[in-house]
Short mmCIF file of all heavy atoms in Angstrom, two decimals:
data_model
loop_
_atom_site.label_atom_id
_atom_site.label_comp_id
_atom_site.label_asym_id
_atom_site.label_seq_id
_atom_site.Cartn_x
_atom_site.Cartn_y
_atom_site.Cartn_z
N MET A 219 0.84 -1.18 0.00
CA MET A 219 0.00 0.00 0.00
C MET A 219 0.89 1.25 0.00
O MET A 219 1.89 1.31 0.69
CB MET A 219 -0.89 -0.01 1.23
CG MET A 219 -1.89 1.10 1.22
SD MET A 219 -3.14 0.80 2.48
CE MET A 219 -3.31 2.41 3.11
N LEU A 220 0.50 2.23 -0.78
CA LEU A 220 1.27 3.47 -0.87
C LEU A 220 1.07 4.32 0.38
O LEU A 220 -0.03 4.38 0.92
CB LEU A 220 0.85 4.28 -2.09
CG LEU A 220 1.10 3.65 -3.45
CD1 LEU A 220 0.51 4.52 -4.55
CD2 LEU A 220 2.57 3.44 -3.69
N PRO A 221 2.13 5.01 0.80
CA PRO A 221 1.98 5.88 1.98
C PRO A 221 1.41 7.25 1.61
O PRO A 221 1.79 8.26 2.17
CB PRO A 221 3.42 5.99 2.49
CG PRO A 221 4.24 5.90 1.25
CD PRO A 221 3.50 4.92 0.36
N PHE A 222 0.52 7.27 0.63
CA PHE A 222 -0.05 8.52 0.14
C PHE A 222 -1.56 8.45 0.18
O PHE A 222 -2.14 7.39 0.01
CB PHE A 222 0.37 8.81 -1.31
CG PHE A 222 1.84 8.73 -1.56
CD1 PHE A 222 2.36 7.75 -2.38
CD2 PHE A 222 2.71 9.64 -0.98
CE1 PHE A 222 3.71 7.68 -2.63
CE2 PHE A 222 4.06 9.58 -1.21
CZ PHE A 222 4.56 8.60 -2.04
N GLN A 223 -2.16 9.59 0.32
CA GLN A 223 -3.61 9.70 0.15
C GLN A 223 -3.81 10.31 -1.23
O GLN A 223 -3.25 11.36 -1.54
CB GLN A 223 -4.21 10.60 1.21
CG GLN A 223 -5.70 10.78 1.05
CD GLN A 223 -6.27 11.69 2.12
OE1 GLN A 223 -5.62 12.04 3.08
NE2 GLN A 223 -7.51 12.09 1.92
N LEU A 224 -4.57 9.65 -2.08
CA LEU A 224 -4.79 10.13 -3.44
C LEU A 224 -6.10 10.90 -3.53
O LEU A 224 -7.10 10.50 -2.96
CB LEU A 224 -4.82 8.95 -4.41
CG LEU A 224 -3.57 8.07 -4.43
CD1 LEU A 224 -3.78 6.90 -5.37
CD2 LEU A 224 -2.35 8.86 -4.83
N GLU A 225 -6.06 12.00 -4.25
CA GLU A 225 -7.25 12.79 -4.54
C GLU A 225 -7.31 12.99 -6.05
O GLU A 225 -6.29 13.18 -6.69
CB GLU A 225 -7.19 14.14 -3.84
CG GLU A 225 -7.19 14.06 -2.34
CD GLU A 225 -7.22 15.43 -1.68
OE1 GLU A 225 -7.82 16.35 -2.25
OE2 GLU A 225 -6.61 15.55 -0.61
N SER A 226 -8.49 12.97 -6.59
CA SER A 226 -8.64 13.19 -8.03
C SER A 226 -9.87 14.04 -8.28
O SER A 226 -10.59 14.41 -7.37
CB SER A 226 -8.76 11.84 -8.75
OG SER A 226 -9.90 11.15 -8.32
N GLY A 227 -10.10 14.34 -9.56
CA GLY A 227 -11.30 15.06 -9.93
C GLY A 227 -11.16 16.56 -9.94
O GLY A 227 -12.17 17.27 -9.92
N MET A 228 -9.94 17.07 -9.95
CA MET A 228 -9.76 18.52 -10.02
C MET A 228 -8.97 18.87 -11.28
O MET A 228 -8.30 18.01 -11.85
CB MET A 228 -9.08 19.05 -8.76
CG MET A 228 -7.68 18.56 -8.53
SD MET A 228 -7.01 19.03 -6.93
CE MET A 228 -7.65 17.72 -5.91
N THR A 229 -9.09 20.09 -11.69
CA THR A 229 -8.32 20.54 -12.85
C THR A 229 -6.86 20.70 -12.46
O THR A 229 -6.52 20.77 -11.27
CB THR A 229 -8.84 21.88 -13.39
OG1 THR A 229 -8.57 22.91 -12.42
CG2 THR A 229 -10.33 21.83 -13.71
N LEU A 230 -6.00 20.79 -13.46
CA LEU A 230 -4.58 21.00 -13.19
C LEU A 230 -4.36 22.33 -12.47
O LEU A 230 -3.57 22.41 -11.53
CB LEU A 230 -3.77 20.94 -14.48
CG LEU A 230 -2.26 21.13 -14.34
CD1 LEU A 230 -1.65 20.11 -13.39
CD2 LEU A 230 -1.60 21.06 -15.71
N ASP A 231 -5.09 23.35 -12.85
CA ASP A 231 -4.96 24.66 -12.19
C ASP A 231 -5.38 24.58 -10.72
O ASP A 231 -4.72 25.16 -9.86
CB ASP A 231 -5.77 25.73 -12.91
CG ASP A 231 -5.13 26.14 -14.23
OD1 ASP A 231 -3.91 25.96 -14.40
OD2 ASP A 231 -5.87 26.65 -15.10
N GLU A 232 -6.46 23.86 -10.44
CA GLU A 232 -6.90 23.68 -9.05
C GLU A 232 -5.85 22.93 -8.24
O GLU A 232 -5.54 23.29 -7.10
CB GLU A 232 -8.22 22.93 -8.99
CG GLU A 232 -9.41 23.71 -9.49
CD GLU A 232 -10.66 22.84 -9.66
OE1 GLU A 232 -10.54 21.61 -9.86
OE2 GLU A 232 -11.75 23.41 -9.59
N ALA A 233 -5.28 21.89 -8.85
CA ALA A 233 -4.25 21.11 -8.16
C ALA A 233 -3.01 21.95 -7.89
O ALA A 233 -2.43 21.87 -6.81
CB ALA A 233 -3.90 19.88 -9.00
N LYS A 234 -2.61 22.77 -8.86
CA LYS A 234 -1.45 23.64 -8.65
C LYS A 234 -1.70 24.64 -7.53
O LYS A 234 -0.81 24.93 -6.73
CB LYS A 234 -1.12 24.40 -9.95
CG LYS A 234 -0.46 23.55 -11.01
CD LYS A 234 -0.19 24.40 -12.24
CE LYS A 234 0.46 23.62 -13.34
NZ LYS A 234 0.69 24.44 -14.54
N GLU A 235 -2.92 25.15 -7.48
CA GLU A 235 -3.28 26.09 -6.42
C GLU A 235 -3.19 25.42 -5.05
O GLU A 235 -2.65 25.99 -4.10
CB GLU A 235 -4.71 26.59 -6.68
CG GLU A 235 -5.08 27.82 -5.91
CD GLU A 235 -6.44 28.35 -6.35
OE1 GLU A 235 -6.58 28.71 -7.54
OE2 GLU A 235 -7.35 28.40 -5.50
N ARG A 236 -3.68 24.19 -4.96
CA ARG A 236 -3.61 23.45 -3.69
C ARG A 236 -2.16 23.11 -3.34
O ARG A 236 -1.79 23.10 -2.17
CB ARG A 236 -4.46 22.19 -3.77
CG ARG A 236 -5.95 22.55 -3.84
CD ARG A 236 -6.85 21.39 -3.70
NE ARG A 236 -6.70 20.84 -2.35
CZ ARG A 236 -7.13 19.64 -2.02
NH1 ARG A 236 -7.71 18.87 -2.91
NH2 ARG A 236 -6.97 19.19 -0.79
N LEU A 237 -1.34 22.85 -4.35
CA LEU A 237 0.08 22.59 -4.12
C LEU A 237 0.76 23.83 -3.57
O LEU A 237 1.51 23.77 -2.59
CB LEU A 237 0.74 22.15 -5.42
CG LEU A 237 2.23 21.81 -5.37
CD1 LEU A 237 2.47 20.56 -4.54
CD2 LEU A 237 2.78 21.63 -6.77
N ASN A 238 0.48 24.97 -4.17
CA ASN A 238 1.10 26.23 -3.73
C ASN A 238 0.66 26.63 -2.33
O ASN A 238 1.40 27.27 -1.60
CB ASN A 238 0.81 27.35 -4.73
CG ASN A 238 1.58 27.17 -6.01
OD1 ASN A 238 2.64 26.57 -6.03
ND2 ASN A 238 1.04 27.70 -7.10
N SER A 239 -0.56 26.23 -1.95
CA SER A 239 -1.03 26.57 -0.60
C SER A 239 -0.71 25.45 0.40
O SER A 239 -1.19 25.47 1.53
CB SER A 239 -2.53 26.85 -0.62
OG SER A 239 -3.25 25.71 -0.98
N ARG A 240 0.08 24.47 -0.04
CA ARG A 240 0.55 23.34 0.78
C ARG A 240 -0.58 22.44 1.29
O ARG A 240 -0.45 21.80 2.31
CB ARG A 240 1.40 23.82 1.94
CG ARG A 240 2.69 24.44 1.52
CD ARG A 240 3.51 24.76 2.73
NE ARG A 240 4.79 25.35 2.31
CZ ARG A 240 5.68 25.78 3.15
NH1 ARG A 240 5.47 25.69 4.44
NH2 ARG A 240 6.80 26.30 2.71
N GLU A 241 -1.69 22.41 0.58
CA GLU A 241 -2.77 21.49 0.93
C GLU A 241 -2.45 20.08 0.43
O GLU A 241 -2.99 19.10 0.95
CB GLU A 241 -4.09 21.97 0.34
CG GLU A 241 -4.58 23.28 0.93
CD GLU A 241 -5.84 23.78 0.25
OE1 GLU A 241 -6.72 22.96 -0.06
OE2 GLU A 241 -5.92 25.00 0.02
N VAL A 242 -1.64 19.99 -0.61
CA VAL A 242 -1.15 18.71 -1.13
C VAL A 242 0.36 18.82 -1.28
O VAL A 242 0.92 19.92 -1.37
CB VAL A 242 -1.81 18.33 -2.48
CG1 VAL A 242 -3.31 18.14 -2.33
CG2 VAL A 242 -1.52 19.35 -3.56
N GLN A 243 1.04 17.68 -1.29
CA GLN A 243 2.50 17.66 -1.36
C GLN A 243 3.03 17.48 -2.78
O GLN A 243 4.13 17.90 -3.09
CB GLN A 243 3.06 16.53 -0.48
CG GLN A 243 2.64 16.62 0.97
CD GLN A 243 3.12 17.89 1.65
OE1 GLN A 243 4.23 18.35 1.42
NE2 GLN A 243 2.28 18.46 2.48
N MET A 244 2.23 16.83 -3.63
CA MET A 244 2.66 16.57 -4.99
C MET A 244 1.44 16.50 -5.90
O MET A 244 0.38 16.05 -5.47
CB MET A 244 3.43 15.24 -5.07
CG MET A 244 3.93 14.91 -6.46
SD MET A 244 5.01 13.45 -6.52
CE MET A 244 3.81 12.14 -6.58
N VAL A 245 1.62 16.93 -7.13
CA VAL A 245 0.56 16.83 -8.14
C VAL A 245 1.06 15.90 -9.23
O VAL A 245 2.16 16.08 -9.77
CB VAL A 245 0.22 18.21 -8.75
CG1 VAL A 245 -0.72 18.06 -9.93
CG2 VAL A 245 -0.38 19.12 -7.69
N LEU A 246 0.28 14.89 -9.53
CA LEU A 246 0.57 13.95 -10.60
C LEU A 246 -0.47 14.21 -11.68
O LEU A 246 -1.66 14.01 -11.46
CB LEU A 246 0.46 12.52 -10.07
CG LEU A 246 0.84 11.39 -10.99
CD1 LEU A 246 2.32 11.46 -11.34
CD2 LEU A 246 0.53 10.07 -10.32
N HIS A 247 -0.02 14.69 -12.83
CA HIS A 247 -0.94 15.07 -13.92
C HIS A 247 -0.85 14.04 -15.04
O HIS A 247 0.20 13.84 -15.63
CB HIS A 247 -0.59 16.46 -14.45
CG HIS A 247 -1.41 16.86 -15.62
ND1 HIS A 247 -0.89 17.06 -16.87
CD2 HIS A 247 -2.74 17.09 -15.73
CE1 HIS A 247 -1.86 17.39 -17.70
NE2 HIS A 247 -2.98 17.42 -17.04
N ILE A 248 -1.98 13.39 -15.31
CA ILE A 248 -2.08 12.44 -16.41
C ILE A 248 -2.97 13.09 -17.46
O ILE A 248 -4.17 13.27 -17.23
CB ILE A 248 -2.67 11.10 -15.94
CG1 ILE A 248 -1.81 10.53 -14.80
CG2 ILE A 248 -2.77 10.12 -17.11
CD1 ILE A 248 -2.40 9.33 -14.12
N PRO A 249 -2.42 13.47 -18.61
CA PRO A 249 -3.20 14.15 -19.64
C PRO A 249 -4.38 13.31 -20.14
O PRO A 249 -4.34 12.07 -20.10
CB PRO A 249 -2.19 14.38 -20.77
CG PRO A 249 -0.85 14.30 -20.12
CD PRO A 249 -1.01 13.32 -18.99
N ALA A 250 -5.40 13.97 -20.61
CA ALA A 250 -6.62 13.31 -21.07
C ALA A 250 -6.33 12.33 -22.22
O ALA A 250 -7.01 11.31 -22.35
CB ALA A 250 -7.65 14.35 -21.52
N ASP A 251 -5.31 12.60 -23.03
CA ASP A 251 -5.00 11.73 -24.17
C ASP A 251 -3.95 10.68 -23.85
O ASP A 251 -3.42 10.03 -24.74
CB ASP A 251 -4.55 12.57 -25.36
CG ASP A 251 -3.23 13.29 -25.12
OD1 ASP A 251 -2.78 13.37 -23.95
OD2 ASP A 251 -2.65 13.78 -26.10
N PHE A 252 -3.67 10.46 -22.59
CA PHE A 252 -2.62 9.52 -22.19
C PHE A 252 -2.88 8.11 -22.72
O PHE A 252 -2.00 7.49 -23.32
CB PHE A 252 -2.49 9.48 -20.66
CG PHE A 252 -1.45 8.51 -20.19
CD1 PHE A 252 -0.10 8.84 -20.22
CD2 PHE A 252 -1.81 7.27 -19.70
CE1 PHE A 252 0.87 7.95 -19.80
CE2 PHE A 252 -0.85 6.37 -19.27
CZ PHE A 252 0.49 6.71 -19.32
N SER A 253 -4.08 7.60 -22.54
CA SER A 253 -4.40 6.24 -22.99
C SER A 253 -4.24 6.10 -24.49
O SER A 253 -3.72 5.09 -24.98
CB SER A 253 -5.83 5.86 -22.60
OG SER A 253 -5.94 5.77 -21.21
N GLN A 254 -4.67 7.09 -25.24
CA GLN A 254 -4.54 7.05 -26.69
C GLN A 254 -3.06 7.07 -27.09
O GLN A 254 -2.66 6.36 -28.01
CB GLN A 254 -5.26 8.23 -27.33
CG GLN A 254 -6.76 8.17 -27.17
CD GLN A 254 -7.43 9.45 -27.64
OE1 GLN A 254 -6.79 10.48 -27.80
NE2 GLN A 254 -8.74 9.38 -27.85
N ALA A 255 -2.27 7.87 -26.42
CA ALA A 255 -0.85 8.00 -26.75
C ALA A 255 -0.11 6.69 -26.55
O ALA A 255 0.71 6.30 -27.38
CB ALA A 255 -0.21 9.11 -25.93
N VAL A 256 -0.38 5.99 -25.46
CA VAL A 256 0.37 4.75 -25.19
C VAL A 256 -0.11 3.57 -26.04
O VAL A 256 0.57 2.55 -26.10
CB VAL A 256 0.34 4.37 -23.69
CG1 VAL A 256 1.02 5.43 -22.86
CG2 VAL A 256 -1.06 4.11 -23.19
N GLN A 257 -1.24 3.71 -26.70
CA GLN A 257 -1.74 2.63 -27.55
C GLN A 257 -1.18 2.71 -28.97
O GLN A 257 -1.31 1.75 -29.73
CB GLN A 257 -3.26 2.65 -27.59
CG GLN A 257 -3.87 2.26 -26.26
CD GLN A 257 -5.39 2.32 -26.27
OE1 GLN A 257 -6.02 2.38 -27.32
NE2 GLN A 257 -5.98 2.32 -25.09
N LYS A 258 -0.56 3.81 -29.32
CA LYS A 258 -0.01 3.98 -30.66
C LYS A 258 1.42 3.45 -30.67
O LYS A 258 2.23 3.80 -29.82
CB LYS A 258 -0.02 5.45 -31.06
CG LYS A 258 -1.40 6.04 -31.20
CD LYS A 258 -1.33 7.51 -31.56
CE LYS A 258 -2.73 8.11 -31.61
NZ LYS A 258 -2.68 9.56 -31.83
N PRO A 259 1.73 2.59 -31.66
CA PRO A 259 3.09 2.05 -31.75
C PRO A 259 4.13 3.17 -31.86
O PRO A 259 3.96 4.13 -32.60
CB PRO A 259 3.07 1.21 -33.02
CG PRO A 259 1.62 0.89 -33.24
CD PRO A 259 0.86 2.07 -32.69
N GLY A 260 5.18 3.06 -31.08
CA GLY A 260 6.27 4.04 -31.13
C GLY A 260 6.02 5.31 -30.34
O GLY A 260 6.89 6.16 -30.27
N GLN A 261 4.85 5.45 -29.77
CA GLN A 261 4.52 6.66 -29.01
C GLN A 261 4.70 6.40 -27.52
O GLN A 261 4.60 5.26 -27.06
CB GLN A 261 3.07 7.07 -29.26
CG GLN A 261 2.80 7.56 -30.65
CD GLN A 261 2.63 9.06 -30.68
OE1 GLN A 261 2.33 9.67 -29.68
NE2 GLN A 261 2.81 9.65 -31.84
N LYS A 262 4.96 7.45 -26.79
CA LYS A 262 5.07 7.36 -25.35
C LYS A 262 4.05 8.29 -24.72
O LYS A 262 3.77 9.36 -25.24
CB LYS A 262 6.46 7.78 -24.88
CG LYS A 262 7.56 6.86 -25.31
CD LYS A 262 8.89 7.33 -24.76
CE LYS A 262 10.00 6.40 -25.19
NZ LYS A 262 11.30 6.83 -24.65
N GLY A 263 3.50 7.87 -23.62
CA GLY A 263 2.61 8.74 -22.86
C GLY A 263 3.45 9.57 -21.90
O GLY A 263 4.52 9.15 -21.47
N GLN A 264 2.98 10.73 -21.59
CA GLN A 264 3.72 11.61 -20.68
C GLN A 264 2.89 11.85 -19.43
O GLN A 264 1.73 12.20 -19.50
CB GLN A 264 4.02 12.95 -21.35
CG GLN A 264 4.80 13.87 -20.43
CD GLN A 264 5.26 15.13 -21.14
OE1 GLN A 264 5.43 15.13 -22.35
NE2 GLN A 264 5.45 16.18 -20.38
N ILE A 265 3.52 11.61 -18.29
CA ILE A 265 2.91 11.91 -16.99
C ILE A 265 3.80 12.95 -16.34
O ILE A 265 5.01 12.78 -16.24
CB ILE A 265 2.82 10.65 -16.11
CG1 ILE A 265 1.89 9.63 -16.76
CG2 ILE A 265 2.32 11.02 -14.72
CD1 ILE A 265 1.80 8.32 -16.01
N ASP A 266 3.20 14.05 -15.92
CA ASP A 266 3.95 15.13 -15.28
C ASP A 266 3.69 15.10 -13.79
O ASP A 266 2.59 14.80 -13.35
CB ASP A 266 3.50 16.49 -15.83
CG ASP A 266 3.69 16.60 -17.33
OD1 ASP A 266 4.80 16.28 -17.81
OD2 ASP A 266 2.73 16.97 -18.02
N TYR A 267 4.72 15.41 -13.01
CA TYR A 267 4.49 15.58 -11.59
C TYR A 267 5.18 16.83 -11.10
O TYR A 267 6.24 17.21 -11.57
CB TYR A 267 4.87 14.33 -10.79
CG TYR A 267 6.33 14.00 -10.68
CD1 TYR A 267 7.04 14.35 -9.53
CD2 TYR A 267 6.99 13.32 -11.68
CE1 TYR A 267 8.38 14.03 -9.40
CE2 TYR A 267 8.32 13.00 -11.56
CZ TYR A 267 9.02 13.35 -10.43
OH TYR A 267 10.34 13.04 -10.30
N LEU A 268 4.51 17.49 -10.18
CA LEU A 268 4.98 18.76 -9.63
C LEU A 268 5.13 18.60 -8.13
O LEU A 268 4.28 18.01 -7.48
CB LEU A 268 3.97 19.87 -9.92
CG LEU A 268 3.52 20.03 -11.37
CD1 LEU A 268 2.28 20.88 -11.46
CD2 LEU A 268 4.64 20.63 -12.18
N ILE A 269 6.21 19.15 -7.61
CA ILE A 269 6.49 19.09 -6.17
C ILE A 269 6.68 20.52 -5.68
O ILE A 269 7.37 21.31 -6.32
CB ILE A 269 7.77 18.28 -5.89
CG1 ILE A 269 7.63 16.85 -6.39
CG2 ILE A 269 8.10 18.30 -4.40
CD1 ILE A 269 8.92 16.07 -6.36
N ASN A 270 6.10 20.83 -4.55
CA ASN A 270 6.33 22.13 -3.94
C ASN A 270 7.72 22.10 -3.33
O ASN A 270 7.98 21.35 -2.40
CB ASN A 270 5.26 22.42 -2.87
CG ASN A 270 5.37 23.82 -2.31
OD1 ASN A 270 6.46 24.35 -2.15
ND2 ASN A 270 4.25 24.41 -2.02
N GLU A 271 8.63 22.89 -3.87
CA GLU A 271 10.03 22.88 -3.45
C GLU A 271 10.22 23.36 -2.01
O GLU A 271 11.28 23.16 -1.44
CB GLU A 271 10.88 23.73 -4.40
CG GLU A 271 10.95 23.19 -5.81
CD GLU A 271 11.65 21.85 -5.93
OE1 GLU A 271 12.56 21.56 -5.12
OE2 GLU A 271 11.29 21.08 -6.82
N SER A 272 9.21 23.96 -1.41
CA SER A 272 9.34 24.42 -0.04
C SER A 272 8.93 23.36 0.98
O SER A 272 8.93 23.60 2.17
CB SER A 272 8.52 25.70 0.18
OG SER A 272 7.14 25.41 0.11
N ASN A 273 8.58 22.16 0.50
CA ASN A 273 8.24 21.07 1.40
C ASN A 273 9.43 20.70 2.27
O ASN A 273 10.58 20.88 1.86
CB ASN A 273 7.82 19.81 0.61
CG ASN A 273 6.44 19.94 0.01
OD1 ASN A 273 5.60 20.64 0.53
ND2 ASN A 273 6.22 19.25 -1.09
N PRO A 274 9.20 20.17 3.45
CA PRO A 274 10.31 19.70 4.27
C PRO A 274 11.16 18.68 3.50
O PRO A 274 10.65 17.96 2.64
CB PRO A 274 9.62 19.04 5.47
CG PRO A 274 8.29 19.71 5.54
CD PRO A 274 7.92 20.02 4.11
N ALA A 275 12.44 18.60 3.82
CA ALA A 275 13.39 17.78 3.07
C ALA A 275 12.97 16.32 2.94
O ALA A 275 13.10 15.72 1.87
CB ALA A 275 14.77 17.88 3.70
N LEU A 276 12.46 15.70 4.01
CA LEU A 276 12.08 14.29 3.94
C LEU A 276 10.93 14.08 2.95
O LEU A 276 10.97 13.17 2.12
CB LEU A 276 11.68 13.77 5.32
CG LEU A 276 11.21 12.31 5.36
CD1 LEU A 276 12.29 11.37 4.86
CD2 LEU A 276 10.78 11.94 6.77
N ILE A 277 9.91 14.92 3.03
CA ILE A 277 8.77 14.79 2.11
C ILE A 277 9.23 15.01 0.68
O ILE A 277 8.87 14.26 -0.23
CB ILE A 277 7.65 15.77 2.49
CG1 ILE A 277 7.05 15.37 3.83
CG2 ILE A 277 6.57 15.83 1.41
CD1 ILE A 277 6.06 16.36 4.40
N LYS A 278 10.06 16.01 0.47
CA LYS A 278 10.56 16.31 -0.87
C LYS A 278 11.35 15.12 -1.43
O LYS A 278 11.19 14.74 -2.58
CB LYS A 278 11.44 17.56 -0.82
CG LYS A 278 11.94 18.01 -2.14
CD LYS A 278 12.73 19.30 -1.98
CE LYS A 278 13.42 19.66 -3.26
NZ LYS A 278 14.27 20.83 -3.11
N SER A 279 12.18 14.50 -0.60
CA SER A 279 12.97 13.35 -1.02
C SER A 279 12.08 12.19 -1.41
O SER A 279 12.31 11.53 -2.43
CB SER A 279 13.92 12.94 0.11
OG SER A 279 14.60 11.77 -0.23
N ILE A 280 11.04 11.92 -0.64
CA ILE A 280 10.11 10.84 -0.95
C ILE A 280 9.40 11.12 -2.27
O ILE A 280 9.28 10.24 -3.13
CB ILE A 280 9.08 10.65 0.19
CG1 ILE A 280 9.79 10.10 1.43
CG2 ILE A 280 7.94 9.72 -0.24
CD1 ILE A 280 8.93 10.12 2.68
N MET A 281 8.93 12.34 -2.43
CA MET A 281 8.18 12.70 -3.64
C MET A 281 9.07 12.65 -4.88
O MET A 281 8.61 12.27 -5.95
CB MET A 281 7.56 14.09 -3.50
CG MET A 281 6.51 14.18 -2.43
SD MET A 281 5.15 13.06 -2.75
CE MET A 281 4.39 13.01 -1.15
N GLN A 282 10.34 13.01 -4.76
CA GLN A 282 11.23 12.96 -5.91
C GLN A 282 11.53 11.53 -6.32
O GLN A 282 11.83 11.26 -7.48
CB GLN A 282 12.52 13.72 -5.63
CG GLN A 282 12.32 15.21 -5.63
CD GLN A 282 13.57 15.97 -5.25
OE1 GLN A 282 14.41 15.50 -4.49
NE2 GLN A 282 13.69 17.18 -5.76
N GLY A 283 11.42 10.59 -5.39
CA GLY A 283 11.66 9.20 -5.70
C GLY A 283 10.44 8.48 -6.23
O GLY A 283 10.50 7.31 -6.60
N TYR A 284 9.32 9.17 -6.29
CA TYR A 284 8.08 8.58 -6.77
C TYR A 284 7.51 9.47 -7.85
O TYR A 284 7.53 10.67 -7.69
CB TYR A 284 7.06 8.46 -5.62
CG TYR A 284 5.82 7.72 -6.04
CD1 TYR A 284 5.76 6.36 -5.95
CD2 TYR A 284 4.74 8.40 -6.56
CE1 TYR A 284 4.64 5.68 -6.36
CE2 TYR A 284 3.61 7.74 -6.97
CZ TYR A 284 3.56 6.37 -6.86
OH TYR A 284 2.46 5.69 -7.28
N PRO A 285 7.05 9.02 -8.93
CA PRO A 285 6.97 7.63 -9.33
C PRO A 285 8.29 7.14 -9.85
O PRO A 285 9.10 7.95 -10.33
CB PRO A 285 5.92 7.65 -10.44
CG PRO A 285 6.02 9.01 -11.03
CD PRO A 285 6.43 9.90 -9.91
N PRO A 286 8.54 5.84 -9.77
CA PRO A 286 9.81 5.31 -10.28
C PRO A 286 9.90 5.55 -11.79
O PRO A 286 8.91 5.44 -12.49
CB PRO A 286 9.74 3.82 -9.98
CG PRO A 286 8.39 3.56 -9.40
CD PRO A 286 7.68 4.84 -9.22
N VAL A 287 11.06 5.90 -12.25
CA VAL A 287 11.26 6.21 -13.68
C VAL A 287 11.54 4.95 -14.44
O VAL A 287 12.16 4.07 -14.03
CB VAL A 287 12.41 7.21 -13.85
CG1 VAL A 287 12.66 7.51 -15.29
CG2 VAL A 287 12.11 8.46 -13.08
#
C-alpha cells in the first residue's frame, strides 16, 4: 500500500493552487489523451508531476523518488 492519500477530480490549475497553498505535497498530472498515446506504436505517454520545493526535506525526497522512472 502506498503511503499517500490520493485525490482526483480537479483541474490542473486547481491542483497547482492546492500545491502552492501546501494542501497537497505533490501533483501527478495524467493528460486526457494519455491512454490514446500509449496505444499507438512508437509513441510514449507523458505523466507530469509537480512538487512544492518548499516542502520539508524528507517529504521532498520521498516525492522525488516517486513515481519510479
Side-chain angles (χ1 to χ4, degrees):
M219 186 167 139
L220 296 175
F222 309 114
Q223 179 181 349
L224 302 176
E225 296 183 33
S226 62
M228 64 188 84
T229 67
L230 181 57
D231 287 337
E232 290 169 335
K234 286 179 180 179
E235 196 173 299
R236 292 189 66 196
L237 181 68
N238 288 333
S239 64
R240 294 185 179 177
E241 294 176 41
V242 297
Q243 303 298 322
M244 181 173 83
V245 171
L246 185 65
H247 176 245
I248 303 171
D251 66 346
F252 179 79
S253 294
Q254 293 172 343
V256 297
Q257 291 178 16
K258 295 178 184 175
Q261 292 254 338
K262 294 182 180 180
Q264 181 173 334
I265 296 177
D266 301 310
Y267 70 99
L268 308 165
I269 299 170
N270 186 324
E271 295 295 330
S272 69
N273 286 332
L276 178 60
I277 293 173
K278 184 177 171 184
S279 175
I280 291 169
M281 295 300 163
Q282 287 176 330
Y284 186 87
V287 179

